[in-house]
Amino acid sequence: MTDDINWNDYTLETQAIRAGHRRTHEDEHSIPIFTTSSYVFKSAEEAALRFTGQKPGNIYSRFTNPTVSAFQERLALMEKGERCLAFSSGMAAIMAVGMGLLKAGDHVVCSRGVFGNTVLMFQNYFGKFGVTTDFVDLIDSAAWEAAIKPNTRFLFLETPSNPLTEIADISLLADIAHKHGCLLVVDNCFCTPALQKPLELGADIIVHSATKYIDGQGRCVGGAVVASDEIIEKHIYPYLRTGGSTMSPFNAWVFLSGLETLAIRMKAHCDNAFELARWLEKQTGVDKVHYPGLPSHAQHQLAARQQSHFGGIVSFELTGGKDHAWKLIDATALLSITANLGDVKTTITHPATTTHGRLTPEVRAAAGIKDGLVRLSVGLENIEDIKKDILRGL
Ligand SMILES: *Cc1c(COP(=O)(O)O)cnc(C)c1O
């Protein structure tokens, strides 16, 4: 039945619930987990045709598994991309983009405000093999353009940024990238396709940490790359097949059910975060609140144009620096002290000593991560209970 439907004719909410499942002869309603490492062929000839790709079908679960394929198909549709490949983690997805697209002598321009491990990936690992990376201010489009060299392969960014929620103008940066023959890679972890569709805005490649909002309940680690059929086929799929940073079928099954509730969860995350951000702005001891939904946010208009809602991440600076930040975090009774985000449970973290702790103080300062900064990934508990918990340490 599902095989006959053109899922492009449906909206994201419906794709999220129904696309990707090819019902088997058992007539199951829910997607099964295919725990098999290999597949059998009807004949030696058929085996040969599948290995060369002349005949579609499963070969080996490092690169073909029906549960993982269902997740890939569903996420590709939701992102309005031609094709998606799943990976063992968000970092493995970013690694795959680099391994697939870069060679020694190439250059990358990356936002200074990206996930800490992404900075380390470009600096320490791709750097080791002769790829150079320049880091620029996410919101300074002139700096992006000035950093592009003849050997620049792609621009890489996250928007909103973590933890300061700065917003990059995806269309503008896509135009700049294309003008200079580069690709634009966007880490869409914080918005998910429920709030923002970077490919529609001109980006070429999306990377995801499925660990966050796609799972939504903090259970599994996984990642994904979404792009055109050509980019995936030429650059990403050969790396996955050889490099082997594969998503497990069990994790794909968890992420598939995560996608089913993504749109309504994201809306609820955004509503709670907006309310909390407005409330935090009125509290004494709070210097500054970073949330794209606030009119005080420097790129509020851009966020309103580019995203359908403002996201679930709120950060704020305390007047009392690190001591006050640690005191507030330790005074909470309900919130989880963890660096993870995108969970139904509200999490609280001190970026300067956790997610961004391995950066040098200079790099951290340049990224604007102050010692008094606290980041919240606002969950789906009752907003009054969340406020009450934060008040304990304010
Ligand atoms: C967590 C995160 C990653 C890395 O994902 P993992 O699944 O933890 O490997 C990459 N980008 C962003 C924005 C993240 O928050």
Side-chain angles (χ1 to χ4, degrees):
M1 176 197 87
T2 41
D3 291 341
D4 304 333
I5 288 181
N6 180 2
W7 288 110
N8 286 306
D9 296 341
Y10 290 82
T11 56
L12 177 135
E13 290 81 358
T14 307
Q15 293 165 342
I17 290 170
R18 292 187 173 272
H21 181 193
R22 295 211 160 60
R23 196 161 289 155
T24 74
H25 60 279
E26 299 290 357
D27 297 326
E28 74 284 350
H29 195 197
S30 170
I31 295 194
I33 309 174
F34 284 87
T35 53
T36 179
S37 49
S38 64
Y39 304 84
V40 289
F41 312 110
K42 286 188 183 63
S43 65
E45 190 197 0
E46 186 180 303
L49 290 173
R50 283 216 209 155
F51 266 82
T52 58
Q54 286 164 281
K55 202 173 167 189
N58 298 309
I59 301 171
Y60 183 64
S61 280
R62 190 185 329 111
F63 48 96
T64 47
N65 176 278
T67 316
V68 176
S69 300
F71 168 73
Q72 294 174 162
E73 208 175 310
R74 189 174 287 185
L75 185 57
L77 281 159
M78 292 171 72
E79 285 285 12
K80 297 210 179 289
E82 288 173 2
R83 207 161 140 201
C84 167
L85 284 183
F87 288 88
S88 54
S89 70
M91 289 318 302
I94 294 168
M95 175 88 169
V97 169
M99 291 297 275
L101 287 161
L102 300 170
K103 61 179 187 314
D106 280 349
H107 176 252
V108 172
V109 185
C110 185
S111 156
R112 211 170 262 135
V114 293
F115 189 60
N117 284 295
T118 305
V119 173
L120 297 176
M121 172 79 80
F122 285 116
Q123 255 177 5
N124 297 1
Y125 292 95
F126 289 120
K128 205 160 85 162
F129 297 100
V131 172
T132 52
T133 303
D134 279 313
F135 294 92
V136 297
D137 249 22
L138 180 70
I139 57 175
D140 184 351
S141 53
W144 283 95
E145 185 152 26
I148 295 174
K149 302 178 185 179
N151 57 338
T152 303
R153 188 77 171 100
F154 59 75
L155 317 184
F156 188 106
L157 63 87
E158 266 166 45
T159 180
S161 70
N162 174 29
L164 296 176
T165 73
E166 288 182 318
I167 309 286
D169 190 331
I170 296 175
S171 311
L172 183 69
L173 289 170
D175 286 347
I176 291 174
H178 299 154
K179 192 170 103 190
H180 295 275
C182 312
L183 300 174
L184 177 65
V185 185
V186 175
D187 183 332
N188 202 27
C189 168
F190 282 72
C191 276
T192 81
L195 306 187
Q196 170 174 283
K197 295 196 182 62
L199 298 178
E200 282 193 325
L201 295 165
D204 303 283
I205 301 176
I206 291 172
V207 295
H208 266 293
S209 169
T211 317
K212 314 294 169 52
Y213 289 107
I214 290 178
D215 177 324
Q217 297 183 52
R219 298 160 294 190
C220 290
V221 174
V225 177
V226 188
S228 67
D229 207 29
E230 191 193 338
I231 289 176
I232 295 283
E233 189 60 32
K234 217 163 127 188
H235 302 287
I236 312 296
Y237 175 73
Y239 169 74
L240 172 67
R241 188 165 171 162
T242 303
S245 39
T246 308
M247 176 180 284
S248 84
F250 176 80
N251 287 9
W253 179 77
V254 170
F255 295 136
L256 276 160
S257 58
L259 287 177
E260 291 173 8
T261 57
L262 183 69
I264 53 171
R265 276 189 292 108
M266 289 312 289
K267 179 159 189 331
H269 279 293
C270 293
D271 289 347
N272 263 1
F274 200 177
E275 165 72 22
L276 195 67
R278 275 189 295 206
W279 175 81
L280 277 167
E281 263 195 329
K282 294 189 215 120
Q283 306 305 307
T284 47
V286 176
D287 236 3
K288 180 157 182 52
V289 180
H290 303 274
Y291 187 68
L294 297 173
S296 62
H297 189 285
Q299 296 99 37
H300 172 63
Q301 295 302 331
L302 173 60
R305 204 166 68 229
Q306 185 166 274
Q307 305 174 202
S308 60
H309 292 279
F310 297 107
I313 307 295
V314 178
S315 65
F316 56 102
E317 281 157 25
L318 291 162
T319 46
K322 182 193 149 192
D323 289 347
H324 193 186
W326 277 29
K327 185 176 147 263
L328 180 129
I329 290 168
D330 289 343
T332 59
L334 181 74
L335 307 193
S336 313
I337 306 174
T338 167
N340 194 30
L341 61 96
D343 198 304
V344 290
K345 300 184 181 95
T346 300
T347 67
I348 187 164
T349 189
H350 184 240
T353 52
T354 59
T355 47
H356 294 68
R358 281 191 288 161
L359 304 180
T360 63
E362 298 75 47
V363 174
R364 195 160 55 237
I369 315 292
K370 297 200 175 133
D371 287 346
L373 188 75
V374 172
R375 187 200 71 194
L376 295 167
S377 165
V378 184
L380 304 186
E381 302 97 335
N382 187 289
I383 188 68
E384 298 309 322
D385 291 329
I386 300 172
K387 288 179 190 167
K388 214 160 49 180
D389 214 46
I390 292 169
L391 266 183
R392 292 164 64 99
L394 260 182

